[in-house]
C-alpha cells in the first residue's frame, strides 16, 4: 500500500490527503467514544457499516439536490470526499425529545416535539461542544448570518427527506447531527454537507418496539451495538439477508490477501 499523508485523526475517522488536490480520503474506524471522550471503546465492524450507510444516505441526498462533499466509496472503510473548510458548528435537528434536550428541559424521552427543532453547538472538544445561539455564531465569526440561514434551511430539508427514508425501513428518526463545510469557488464560499451520516450521529428507534438502533446502545451500555448498526444497514438493503458476518469476513479475507 502506498504511504499517504495523514491530515487529521478524529474520534471515529482518519483523514488522509486525497489523490487529487482538493480531495480527502475518509477512513472509518471502529473506535467509539461518548460523553466528550470520557467513555471509549470499540464496536467491531462499525467503520465498515458506517461507510456503507453514510454512502447510501449521501447518495440519496444528492438525488434531491443537497450539495455534499461525498465523491465515491473507495473500499470497505474509505471514501473519497471533497476537501472543505469545516464550519465549526454542529447542527442538531430533533423530532422527538431525547438525550441532552430531554435532560436540559426535563422532558420525557420519546415525547414528540411540536415541530422539528434545530440547535447549534460550537465544535470544541475541550469545551464539550457547548450549545450556542445564532448570535454567538455571528458575533464570533464562526459563520455569517447568511450562511446560517442556508445551513438551517438545508438541515430542515435533509430532515424531511431522512424522516421519509428511515420511516420506509420502519425506523423513527429521533434526532441527528450534521456538519457543513465551505469550498471556495472564484473567491466565493459555497456550502456543502460534510462529515458522515450514520448511527454514530443519529438516534434511530425501531417504529414498533422503540428499540434503539444507534450509538446510544454504546453510550448507555445496552449491548448489541454491532447488531444494531447491522440492522440499519440490512433494512436499507446494504447487507444481503443472512450475510451479517460477511462484511467482516470479507474484510479479513481481503486483508489476508494484502488488498
Ligand atoms: O447528545 P444529544 O442529545 O445533544 O445529541 C443529539 C444528536 O446529535 C444525537 O443523535 C447524537 O448522536 C448527535 N450528536 C453527535 N455528536 C455530538 C453531539 C451530538 O453526533 N458531538
Amino acid at each position: 500500500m502506498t504511504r499517504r499523508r495523514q491530515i487529521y485523526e478524529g474520534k471515529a475517522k482518519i483523514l488522509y490527503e486525497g489523490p487529487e488536490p482538493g480531495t480527502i480520503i475518509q477512513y472509518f474506524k471502529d473506535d467509539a467514544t461518548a460523553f466528550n471522550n470520557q467513555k471509549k471503546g470499540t464496536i467491531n465492524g462499525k467503520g465498515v457499516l458506517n461507510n456503507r450507510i453514510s454512502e447510501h444516505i449521501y447518495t440519496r441526498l444528492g438525488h434531491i439536490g443537497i450539495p455534499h462533499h461525498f465523491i465515491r466509496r473507495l473500499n470497505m472503510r474509505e471514501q473519497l470526499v471533497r476537501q472543505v473548510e469545516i464550519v465549526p458548528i454542529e447542527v442538531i435537528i430533533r423530532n422527538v425529545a431525547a438525550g441532552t434536550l430531554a435532560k436540559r428541559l426535563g422532558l420525557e424521552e420519546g415525547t414528540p416535539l411540536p415541530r422539528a427543532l434545530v440547535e447549534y453547538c460550537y465544535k470544541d472538544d475541550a469545551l464539550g461542544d457547548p450549545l450556542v445561539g445564532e448570535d454567538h455564531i455571528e458575533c464570533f465569526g464562526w459563520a455569517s448570518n447568511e450562511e446560517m440561514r442556508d445551513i438551517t434551511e438545508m438541515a430542515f430539508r435533509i430532515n424531511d427527506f431522512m424522516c421519509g427514508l428511515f420511516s420506509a425501513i420502519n425506523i423513527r428518526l429521533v434526532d441527528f447531527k450534521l456538519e457543513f463545510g465551505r469550498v471556495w469557488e472564484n473567491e466565493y464560499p459555497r456550502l456543502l454537507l460534510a462529515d458522515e451520516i450514520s448511527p454514530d450521529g443519529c438516534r434511530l428507534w425501531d417504529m414498533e418496539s422503540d428499540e434503539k438502533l444507534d450509538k446510544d446502545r454504546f453510550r448507555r451500555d445496552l449491548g448489541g451495538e454491532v447488531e444494531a448498526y447491522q440492522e440499519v444497514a440490512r433494512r436499507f438493503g446494504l447487507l444481503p439477508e443472512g450475510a451479517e458476518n460477511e462484511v467482516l469476513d470479507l474484510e479479513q479475507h481481503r486483508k489476508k490477501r494484502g488488498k
Side-chain angles (χ1 to χ4, degrees):
M1 196 200 266
T2 49
R3 281 192 79 77
R4 295 174 302 193
R5 197 169 74 84
Q6 184 176 313
I7 297 172
Y8 170 81
E9 175 155 9
K11 288 175 263 185
K13 287 190 294 291
I14 305 175
L15 302 183
Y16 297 99
E17 210 167 58
E20 289 129 37
T23 64
I24 294 263
I25 294 170
Q26 283 199 143
Y27 175 95
F28 288 75
K29 302 194 284 185
D30 285 347
D31 297 348
T33 62
F35 313 118
N36 199 30
N37 252 337
Q38 287 173 43
K39 182 174 173 164
K40 289 184 185 166
T42 306
I43 304 175
N44 275 333
K46 171 172 84 77
V48 176
L49 292 160
N50 281 355
N51 189 18
R52 285 296 275 118
I53 294 169
S54 196
E55 173 195 23
H56 178 71
I57 296 175
Y58 267 84
T59 306
R60 299 295 303 268
L61 287 171
H63 292 162
I64 62 152
I66 299 291
H68 59 63
H69 75 156
F70 179 80
I71 302 172
R72 67 175 181 278
R73 187 167 60 83
L74 297 172
N75 54 48
M76 300 197 77
R77 283 186 186 268
E78 293 177 330
Q79 48 181 247
L80 186 68
V81 300
R82 289 186 66 180
Q83 185 166 27
V84 299
E85 177 189 292
I86 281 285
V87 175
I89 300 297
E90 296 190 337
V91 180
I92 293 170
I93 299 277
R94 302 181 184 268
N95 299 301
V96 175
T100 57
L101 175 75
K103 203 168 163 194
R104 203 180 324 123
L105 299 185
L107 301 170
E108 193 183 337
E109 261 208 340
T111 313
L113 299 175
R115 60 165 176 82
L117 181 70
V118 64
E119 292 177 345
Y120 309 109
C121 295
Y122 177 52
K123 264 173 74 71
D124 187 315
D125 283 344
L127 298 175
D129 302 332
L131 188 68
V132 292
E134 276 181 276
D135 208 27
H136 295 91
I137 298 173
E138 202 272 334
C139 181
F140 294 109
W142 298 322
S144 68
N145 281 337
E146 198 185 18
E147 283 178 321
M148 286 316 292
R149 202 195 50 217
D150 290 351
I151 283 176
T152 306
E153 201 181 296
M154 253 195 274
F156 279 125
R157 221 174 133 223
I158 292 167
N159 181 50
D160 283 348
F161 183 75
M162 278 181 38
C163 279
L165 198 66
F166 279 105
S167 101
I169 57 166
N170 232 14
I171 288 176
R172 178 171 299 124
L173 179 61
V174 170
D175 56 33
F176 61 102
K177 186 255 310 184
L178 297 174
E179 292 190 26
F180 293 85
R182 301 179 187 96
V183 284
W184 294 87
E185 286 168 5
N186 303 322
E187 314 216 346
Y188 288 101
R190 196 161 82 87
L191 289 164
L192 300 183
L193 177 66
D195 195 49
E196 69 177 279
I197 302 180
S198 71
D200 267 9
C202 302
R203 283 201 173 88
L204 306 170
W205 296 358
D206 179 82
M207 287 262 192
E208 263 113 58
S209 66
D210 278 346
E211 190 189 353
K212 296 181 194 338
L213 300 172
D214 56 60
K215 203 165 90 174
D216 270 351
R217 300 210 73 86
F218 169 76
R219 293 189 189 101
R220 301 181 186 190
D221 291 320
L222 301 173
E225 295 92 337
V226 183
E227 291 77 6
Y229 282 58
Q230 277 176 346
E231 179 61 15
V232 175
R234 191 190 63 75
R235 290 193 197 182
F236 273 137
L238 305 173
L239 276 189
E241 295 288 337
E244 281 77 6
N245 293 321
E246 273 177 27
V247 173
L248 291 177
D249 290 349
L250 187 61
E251 190 184 35
Q252 271 148 22
H253 180 63
R254 283 202 183 141
K255 268 188 191 151
K256 269 190 211 141
R257 282 164 53 212
K259 289 204 172 169

